[in-house]
Amino acid sequence: MTTHLSPVEPDFAKLLDHLARQPALARRLGGDQEEWSVQEIGDGNVNLVFAVRGPAGAVCVKQAPPYVRAAGPSWPLTPRRVEFEHRALVEHRRHAAPYVPEPLHIDPTEHLLTVEYLEGHRVMRNGLTAGACYPHFAEHAARYLAHTLFFTSDLALPAGRKRELASLFETNTAMCQIMEDMVFTEIFLPHPRNRWTSPELDGDVKDLQQDIELKLAVSRLKLRYLSSRSALLHGDLHTGSIMMNEPETAPSIAVIDQEFACYGPMGFDLGTLLAHLLIAYFAAGAHGSDRSPQQSWLLSAVEQLWDDFRAHFTRLWHSHADGDAYPLALFPEAAAAAALETERQQYLDELFTETLGYCGAEIIRRIVGFARPADFTTITDTTIRAEAERRALTLARSLVTAPTAHRAATDLTAAARSV
Ligand code: SR1
Ligand code: MG
């Protein structure tokens, strides 16, 4: 008889038995099973996460219960999400290995995914909320984004491989639907999952739910999320999905929690990450102590993230244009090559516009929806918190409805400063 891990109470003994049955994992932990310890370390909305330590090393085990962790069994969710997370880890590691943890084992029956344990790392959002700055973050995040997005797109992949890869993620339906509902729809309706700083923001929420221009622009973004197959997205790239490792010698980042991975518009990942830097910026101004150095750093990180991404992406398009899009054979002579270069820059201008739209949509749903970030919720004075959230909402609305007003990252940061 097969015994499954309990979806409600984590059963540590069964978890250790599971690891003991995998020789490579048992070797990594070392010693005997009796010497291994388990600690639940997850604080995300979706899965249970365990650190398992042995005499020789540690592993991280993610368990997907058949429901949303933050809501409990009343909100069922397919546990097959760990399989999509595993596939995304494999694919993104091909192109951005230094930034993606190594998947060690997937058990589709128990819905357990074992990955390398990230020793010495800290969740970026926790650091930001405590006031930390990460001077090396933007350079690494820009490289991660350029590599994962470019190398999974039609610019780099032959059409057959791209379609094969897109089809592998096509059925991550339940996870994509969470985004479709939560980012683009529920917050504009009187939905029971919606939460906000009440009563301070009651009027603001009423206004945005009646804002036809905003709802049309968000619906446009939703259609793009539903129909675009531009690149393999992380799908939930906020600061809680990034682990920071900042020793003096080799500071870096690790990107985790790929269970929302899907083929979609590149601007969704880029915009989500920019949104959470801006959320941290607005929240920092409301945390009591003087956080102006952190706020300056956050806006410089916004600028560097986009500018470095654009530079990396352009370089990759020159050096690895192996996909079926824009066949180089069509642009042999100097005039055609120059026209192609203009086209590349126009593509990136349009991607920036798309990015700003998703950035705005993500900010709004994090202030009005189910998944409110600790950056804001840890501000205990609700009057001060609501004022910071209102400033973020003002910027966000302008990004969704008029993204082309911003041509460069410095326009975005100037707008953030001035709201
Ligand atoms: C049901 S999960 C709620 C949110 O948490 C995740 O981090 C995603 O952003 C999702 O929208
Ligand atoms: Mg997560």
Side-chain angles (χ1 to χ4, degrees):
M1 191 185 81
T2 317
T3 50
H4 293 273
L5 283 171
S6 160
V8 180
E9 286 293 317
D11 185 328
F12 290 176
K14 281 186 194 155
L15 184 60
L16 294 183
D17 287 346
H18 163 81
L19 293 171
R21 283 195 299 274
Q22 315 305 325
L25 299 181
R27 269 198 306 280
R28 189 176 271 252
L29 291 167
D32 293 325
Q33 189 174 336
E34 294 69 42
E35 299 171 84
W36 301 347
S37 66
V38 191
Q39 189 189 1
E40 194 185 349
I41 55 169
D43 64 356
N45 290 324
V46 181
N47 295 314
L48 298 164
V49 188
F50 306 95
V52 183
R53 293 184 177 82
V59 295
C60 174
V61 187
K62 296 190 70 171
Q63 184 196 7
Y67 55 81
V68 172
R69 176 185 190 263
S74 64
W75 186 349
L77 185 61
T78 173
R80 294 200 59 197
R81 57 193 185 265
V82 284
E83 296 171 47
F84 291 100
E85 179 167 359
H86 179 249
R87 278 179 209 168
L89 286 169
V90 170
E91 292 307 326
H92 278 170
R93 263 181 76 81
R94 288 187 210 282
H95 314 298
Y99 304 124
V100 181
E102 184 187 2
L104 301 173
H105 187 261
I106 176 73
D107 183 332
T109 310
E110 296 283 10
H111 314 297
L112 291 170
L113 169 64
T114 307
V115 297
E116 73 172 293
Y117 183 77
L118 298 168
E119 202 69 65
H121 287 63
R122 178 186 199 193
V123 175
M124 184 179 184
R125 191 189 308 286
N126 296 343
L128 292 179
T129 304
C133 297
Y134 296 109
H136 301 279
F137 160 75
E139 84 191 49
H140 291 300
R143 199 173 301 128
Y144 160 82
L145 278 159
H147 279 244
T148 55
L149 298 179
F150 178 84
F151 281 112
T152 59
S153 77
D154 286 300
L155 303 174
L157 292 176
R161 173 66 185 140
K162 151 74 194 306
R163 287 184 195 284
E164 183 189 10
L165 201 49
S167 76
L168 274 180
F169 290 88
E170 202 55 35
T171 51
N172 200 6
T173 317
M175 302 309 284
C176 289
Q177 192 171 351
I178 288 180
M179 291 306 184
E180 289 147 22
D181 293 344
M182 295 185 78
V183 181
F184 306 108
T185 311
E186 281 174 14
I187 55 170
F188 297 99
L189 296 167
H191 194 279
R193 278 203 283 260
N194 290 346
R195 294 178 282 187
W196 60 85
T197 304
S198 181
E200 289 85 348
L201 291 185
D202 289 359
D204 304 74
V205 173
K206 194 170 168 210
D207 287 350
L208 79 84
Q209 291 183 340
Q210 292 175 348
D211 188 333
I212 296 168
E213 188 189 359
L214 177 63
K215 288 190 283 187
L216 267 181
V218 165
S219 298
R220 224 172 280 135
L221 290 166
K222 180 176 183 177
L223 174 61
R224 216 173 170 112
Y225 176 81
L226 286 162
S227 54
S228 163
R229 299 287 178 275
S230 291
L232 176 58
L233 308 183
H234 174 282
D236 191 26
L237 191 58
H238 55 78
T239 51
S241 298
I242 296 179
M243 306 286 289
M244 302 302 307
N245 182 23
E246 292 278 306
E248 273 178 27
T249 45
S252 196
I253 67 168
V255 181
I256 62 169
D257 286 3
Q258 284 80 354
E259 64 267 9
F260 288 89
C262 61
Y263 258 79
M266 297 184 189
F268 189 78
D269 269 3
L270 286 155
T272 300
L273 190 49
L274 290 180
H276 285 262
L277 295 178
L278 291 166
I279 285 170
Y281 166 79
F282 287 111
H287 268 292
S289 54
D290 177 18
R291 294 266 188 100
S292 41
Q294 190 197 25
Q295 287 188 294
S296 298
W297 166 71
L298 280 160
L299 292 189
S300 71
V302 165
E303 292 169 9
Q304 192 188 348
L305 180 59
W306 172 257
D307 292 343
D308 282 12
F309 167 82
R310 185 172 182 138
H312 285 308
F313 198 95
T314 303
R315 267 196 296 277
L316 292 173
W317 199 341
H318 286 147
S319 59
H320 292 81
D322 302 322
D324 273 321
Y326 297 102
L328 287 176
L330 300 189
F331 307 97
E333 72 280 13
L340 178 58
E341 186 54 27
T342 304
E343 177 82 3
R344 288 188 187 108
Q345 294 314 313
Q346 193 178 322
Y347 175 101
L348 283 155
D349 288 344
E350 285 168 13
L351 179 55
F352 186 58
T353 300
E354 178 185 276
T355 294
L356 295 185
Y358 287 114
C359 174
E362 175 70 7
I363 291 174
I364 296 171
R365 76 99 170 194
R366 293 289 182 171
I367 294 171
V368 183
F370 171 80
R372 294 157 73 212
D375 317 54
F376 281 136
T377 57
T378 53
I379 302 166
T380 48
D381 183 323
T382 54
T383 307
I384 292 174
R385 186 207 301 160
E387 192 41 48
E389 291 175 325
R390 190 171 290 122
R391 292 176 66 218
L393 283 175
T394 303
L395 176 70
R397 186 192 181 280
S398 78
L399 296 179
V400 174
T401 58
T404 52
H406 310 276
R407 305 310 309 167
T410 45
D411 299 335
L412 171 61
T413 53
R417 266 188 213 97
S418 68
V419 288

